[in-house]
Amino acid sequence: MTAQRLSGKPVADEIRARTAQLVAGLNRDGFSARLAVVLATRNEATTWYVRSIERAAAAQGVECQVLELPDGTQAQLTATIEALNGDEAVHGIILQTPVPSGVDAAALVQLIDPTKDIDGANPLSLGRLTVGQPAFAPATARSVIEILEHYRIPLAGHHVAVVGRSAVVGKPLAQLLLQRDATVSICHSQTAELPEFTKTAAVTVMAVGRANLLTAHEVADSSVVIDVGTNVDDDGQLVGDVHTASVQPKVRALSPVPGGVGTVTTALLLLHTVQAATKVCQTIMWRGESMSTRR
Ligand code: NAP
């Protein structure tokens, strides 16, 4: 048996189609969506990533404004985020990490207006997700759900083991899974007997950042494995957290690295931006209509 490949490409295509539909609706009403990316570093890989967001936005008819503040200070970055919060033409804000040394990124993301926090970076967004209120989840966590739903992997009533408890992946993902009635184990570096969780899970999500951590001995037969990890191996190749050669013949389905979760995230950032813009547009239209009714 060889595992089904849970490729991210068709999932991203489907998300882009949803975004295109919303963009068409916005344009019909005379609106457009705008994403602002605050880039406070000269890091080559980060700059490349931001350029890829710009290209993807252009392809979807979403405006993308990159605010470059290399070596920006806490005060400058604070003022930038506050200005973006107050700018009605901006619907999504991303503070791209890393930030310059000495700058407190945690304090900055707390400033992002939750209605514009399209990558779920503000802890308020995670808090809202936890109590079931509307909020944007981090795109990476949401990508895992989009993949599972696209390939119709059942979640309700099933045990899902999430390995990794960061605020960007593990914790928000656990909330999204709970919302779908999964029974969730959140595992981490201090989990005793990690295989006891992964071997009994119908779905295992690896979000650690350690190549080959999950081998065939630690997964259940015919289970589903989603690999969020991104690592560079000794040959300079991008690999996930899963030991693919041993796990693939044992499981029912596996998401590849590259070509899995990472393929979906940018599409989701743009969908979230357009969803935020649609909400603003609907509010403005509703206000206009109620004003004209009152007149
Ligand atoms: P992180 O903040 O470093 O968190 C890693 C998590 O893994 C922590 O909760 C840590 O436990 C846990 N962990 C470490 N060693 C472990 C072990 N031996 N057994 C079990 N758990 C262990 O990383 P992150 O930001 O969540 O990212 C996780 C991975 O996803 C990285 O490879 C990252 O590059 C990748 N990623 C991919 C995308 C994408 O778009 N594809 C986006 C974001 C991240 P403790 O909490 O106890 O330290």
Side-chain angles (χ1 to χ4, degrees):
M1 187 182 83
T2 188
Q4 179 188 9
R5 181 184 156 90
L6 303 179
S7 167
K9 167 84 168 56
V11 185
D13 286 345
E14 197 181 81
I15 293 166
R16 284 191 277 266
R18 275 148 66 189
T19 303
Q21 216 166 16
L22 288 174
V23 168
L26 280 171
N27 293 348
R28 257 195 316 273
D29 292 330
F31 290 90
S32 56
R34 185 185 294 176
L35 170 64
V37 183
V38 181
L39 180 60
T41 173
R42 292 179 208 276
N43 180 307
E44 206 176 300
T46 308
T47 307
W48 181 89
Y49 174 64
V50 170
R51 298 289 167 249
S52 76
I53 295 177
E54 273 186 300
R55 282 194 299 275
Q60 292 248 253
V62 174
E63 292 171 22
C64 183
Q65 175 185 359
V66 179
L67 295 105
E68 298 196 32
L69 290 139
D71 308 322
T73 62
Q74 190 84 28
Q76 286 168 331
L77 292 164
T78 297
T80 302
I81 290 172
E82 283 175 345
L84 293 170
N85 282 342
D87 185 343
E88 284 191 3
V90 171
H91 307 102
I93 302 171
I94 298 174
L95 172 68
Q96 187 58 51
T97 53
V99 294
S101 66
V103 169
D104 182 353
L108 292 173
V109 293
Q110 285 182 41
L111 299 172
I112 300 176
D113 178 340
T115 64
K116 301 186 181 191
D117 184 27
I118 52 94
D119 200 16
N122 187 332
L124 270 179
S125 297
L126 181 54
R128 287 183 178 191
L129 276 182
T130 305
V131 293
Q133 287 179 8
F136 291 112
T140 305
R142 177 98 215 170
S143 297
V144 174
I145 297 292
E146 292 285 340
I147 290 175
L148 291 168
E149 290 185 340
H150 176 92
Y151 290 101
R152 300 184 193 286
I153 310 293
L155 294 172
H158 293 281
H159 176 204
V160 180
V162 176
V163 187
R165 59 173 164 181
S166 73
V168 226
V169 195
K171 285 192 179 112
L173 175 59
Q175 297 308 323
L176 294 171
L177 290 163
L178 282 173
Q179 284 171 11
R180 286 156 181 81
D181 295 329
T183 302
V184 186
S185 301
I186 308 176
C187 307
H188 45 80
S189 67
Q190 305 306 307
T191 299
E193 303 300 338
L194 180 64
E196 279 183 15
F197 296 90
T198 55
K199 275 174 90 168
T200 57
V203 177
T204 295
V205 182
M206 293 300 294
V208 173
R210 194 170 291 192
N212 299 327
L213 185 63
L214 190 82
T215 68
H217 302 296
E218 286 110 31
V219 284
D221 282 341
S222 305
S223 62
V224 172
V225 177
I226 305 290
D227 196 350
V228 181
T230 53
N231 313 286
V232 177
D233 72 7
D234 295 341
D235 301 327
Q237 300 296 311
L238 181 66
V239 295
D241 290 347
V242 176
H243 186 264
T244 309
S246 72
V247 169
Q248 206 164 33
K250 193 173 180 189
V251 298
R252 177 153 70 92
L254 170 65
S255 74
V257 177
V261 174
T263 314
V264 181
T265 50
T266 302
L268 268 175
L269 290 175
L270 297 175
L271 176 65
H272 286 175
T273 304
V274 172
Q275 285 173 334
T278 302
K279 210 163 230 179
V280 171
C281 161
Q282 284 167 346
T283 308
I284 293 172
M285 304 260 293
W286 179 85
R287 259 195 239 134
E289 271 170 29
S290 73
M291 294 286 281
S292 60
T293 318
R294 267 184 254 153
R295 259 185 235 126

